Amino acid sequence: MISKKKAVIGAVLLMAVTFLLTNIFNVTIGNKVIISKSDYQEFQKLSKVRFLKDRIEDEFYQDVKEEDLIAAMERGIFDGLDDPYSQYYTKDEFKDLMEMTSGSYVGVGIVVSPGEDGFITVVAPIEDTPAEKAGILPGDKITKVDKVKYSAKEMDKAISIIKGEPGKEVVLSIIRENKPEFDITIKREQILIKSVKSEMMDEIGYMRISSFDERTGEEFDENLLSLKNNNPKGLIIDLRDNPGGLLDQVKEVADSILGEATIVYTEDRAGNRQYLKSNSSGKLDIPLVILVNENSASASEILAGAVRDNKAGTLVGTTTFGKGLVQNVVPLKDGSGYKITMAQYFTPNGEYINEKGITPEYVVEIGEEDTEDVQLNKAIEVIREKNK
């Protein structure tokens, strides 16, 4: 016969095992599943979402597509972060995002950002594209696409509409400083981006980097070699209106001009740091000036900060855009994906530039009355002074 004490101990052990099974593991008993308490609470929340979706499908005055509601729910998770750079992308949108950094896509040739004022804001038109030729300017606010209103939260949807078939037109409604809203009609084209261009200006090499896409590092090295064959007395790298791009391409450029140095470091919410360093394979042995302005953003700011903090060159122009956040792009199995802000970044000397930007050593404003590129002229002057 089992003693009363042993029976009590057995009951306690049974209760403990049951608690562990139901709060740590999911257990199947017959055709029923026992789930943990936390999982059940989570299931209740998700059930409410499913309930609301069903109610909308049953009660909304128009027909709705289930896939549209699901996509909206997926977007909503990222909307809850209140971070304009963290976003969910449908399969088609994710494909468009990948094309944007490949250097070839159909569109009008603009880089946009979600503005804090709720508008889709043009960071910069890409050089030699329909948008630039049509007169789109940095800072323009896009309010409508083909007469349909879009806010900053709907930026990705607006981008998907702006893209389309080459040869077809799209109408962008624009708000520009001190002007009433107006429309610009732009014909879509196959955009083939050559992100690096160069030329000799007397005895000084000049290189323009319009964005950092998949071939920028390779194009930079090709152009740098061509300039070096002319024995330049200095190099100007123009990052004005460069909206950024791929960090690995910044590293490739830095490898060719910095030598072994810290380019940038990131810090996540737990305080963990990761350092990105250039290798020792290349270091520029001539004076270097970096041109920047208020539309130099993200990846271009990283390069500018690395050059400044490593005393590898001089910055000329105006204070940069101020984007000090790093995003990770993650593809999902169904072809969709998401972009999430995973860390802050700091210049090698530890400066956090978000919403502040980088102020160059020589601040040079371009006035409406200026008929010459006074910033470029100052860059040439700085190089000539260093050669004395």
Side-chain angles (χ1 to χ4, degrees):
M1 178 178 281
I2 301 174
S3 68
K4 187 175 181 181
K5 184 176 181 180
K6 286 182 178 180
V8 171
I9 293 173
V12 170
L13 286 173
L14 179 60
M15 289 172 62
V17 170
T18 302
F19 175 83
L20 287 172
L21 287 174
T22 56
N23 285 275
I24 299 177
F25 304 104
N26 295 339
V27 181
T28 302
I29 300 177
N31 62 352
K32 296 181 179 179
V33 176
I34 300 175
I35 64 174
S36 69
K37 183 177 180 181
S38 60
D39 283 348
Y40 177 70
Q41 291 172 337
E42 190 69 22
F43 175 75
Q44 283 185 310
K45 295 174 185 176
L46 294 175
S47 293
K48 181 179 180 181
V49 174
R50 179 59 186 263
F51 171 79
L52 293 173
K53 182 187 79 69
D54 290 344
R55 295 282 63 75
I56 290 172
E57 289 177 327
D58 290 343
E59 299 171 9
F60 191 60
Y61 80 104
Q62 291 181 336
D63 289 336
V64 293
K65 294 180 180 178
E66 183 180 50
E67 57 265 33
D68 290 343
L69 293 178
I70 293 173
M73 288 188 283
E74 290 164 330
R75 290 186 205 281
I77 295 173
F78 290 89
D79 288 344
L81 298 174
D82 196 26
D83 173 30
Y85 303 110
S86 296
Q87 297 165 340
Y88 169 79
Y89 298 90
T90 64
K91 184 177 179 178
D92 289 340
E93 290 167 348
F94 194 74
K95 180 183 175 183
D96 289 343
L97 179 67
M98 294 298 98
E99 287 178 350
M100 281 290 289
T101 58
S102 70
S104 176
Y105 65 95
V106 174
V108 300
I110 51 174
V111 177
V112 294
S113 176
E116 292 183 2
D117 54 8
F119 288 110
I120 300 168
T121 304
V122 175
V123 176
I126 298 170
E127 290 180 359
D128 299 325
T129 62
E132 184 187 53
K133 294 171 185 176
I136 295 290
L137 298 177
D140 282 350
K141 312 289 185 181
I142 299 175
T143 58
K144 300 171 190 169
V145 180
D146 286 339
K147 305 299 183 181
V148 178
K149 284 187 178 181
Y150 292 95
S151 67
K153 288 187 176 181
E154 302 166 304
M155 185 179 75
D156 294 320
K157 190 172 182 180
I159 291 173
S160 69
I161 302 299
I162 293 171
K163 292 185 172 188
E165 296 180 39
K168 301 286 187 179
E169 292 183 339
V170 61
V171 179
L172 303 184
S173 299
I174 302 292
I175 293 177
R176 187 173 292 168
E177 190 175 5
N178 300 323
K179 287 189 176 182
E181 183 179 88
F182 61 97
D183 291 342
I184 295 181
T185 300
I186 310 174
K187 185 179 289 186
R188 301 178 180 96
E189 290 181 6
Q190 183 73 35
I191 307 296
L192 300 173
I193 302 172
K194 188 172 179 62
S195 62
V196 183
K197 296 179 181 179
S198 65
E199 62 179 292
M200 288 296 297
M201 294 182 171
D202 294 328
E203 297 178 306
I204 298 172
Y206 169 86
M207 198 178 308
R208 163 79 179 141
I209 305 178
S210 58
S211 62
F212 290 91
D213 62 37
E214 290 179 358
R215 293 195 67 251
T216 298
E218 182 181 344
E219 291 178 11
F220 182 87
D221 287 341
E222 291 170 357
N223 281 267
L224 184 60
L225 179 61
S226 177
L227 291 175
K228 282 183 174 180
N229 288 335
N230 292 284
N231 298 313
K233 292 187 176 180
L235 176 65
I236 298 169
I237 299 178
D238 192 345
L239 298 178
R240 291 176 295 180
D241 299 326
N242 181 321
L246 303 174
L247 185 57
D248 64 331
Q249 298 303 304
V250 176
K251 182 185 184 307
E252 288 192 26
V253 172
D255 286 344
S256 300
I257 61 176
L258 290 184
E260 190 171 359
T262 296
I263 301 169
V264 70
Y265 71 85
T266 61
E267 187 173 300
D268 64 18
R269 65 181 180 187
N272 300 314
R273 291 184 178 181
Q274 288 189 335
Y275 288 81
L276 180 67
K277 296 179 179 289
S278 55
N279 60 41
S280 58
S281 62
K283 186 173 183 179
L284 209 61
D285 57 359
I286 54 177
L288 172 66
V289 170
I290 305 290
L291 282 171
V292 293
N293 67 3
E294 62 276 9
N295 300 309
S296 303
S298 192
S300 58
E301 291 177 285
I302 289 175
L303 182 61
V307 167
R308 182 198 63 181
D309 286 6
N310 286 292
K311 301 187 186 310
T314 306
L315 306 189
V316 172
T318 54
T319 301
T320 61
F321 183 83
K323 180 176 181 286
L325 302 172
V326 180
Q327 285 74 45
N328 191 22
V329 178
V330 182
L332 300 175
K333 288 182 179 180
D334 63 355
S336 65
Y338 64 91
K339 182 174 65 175
I340 189 165
T341 300
M342 53 181 288
Q344 301 168 308
Y345 79 73
F346 298 80
T347 70
N349 286 349
E351 183 179 358
Y352 182 51
I353 69 160
N354 199 53
E355 298 183 357
K356 185 178 73 169
I358 297 173
T359 300
E361 290 94 322
Y362 293 95
V363 175
V364 181
E365 301 278 354
I366 295 181
E368 291 183 5
E369 71 284 355
D370 289 321
T371 57
E372 295 183 351
D373 189 339
V374 292
Q375 293 173 339
L376 178 59
N377 290 344
K378 183 63 180 180
I380 293 171
E381 179 189 319
V382 169
I383 287 179
R384 286 176 175 163
E385 283 293 323
K386 290 180 180 293
N387 277 297
K388 286 183 178 180

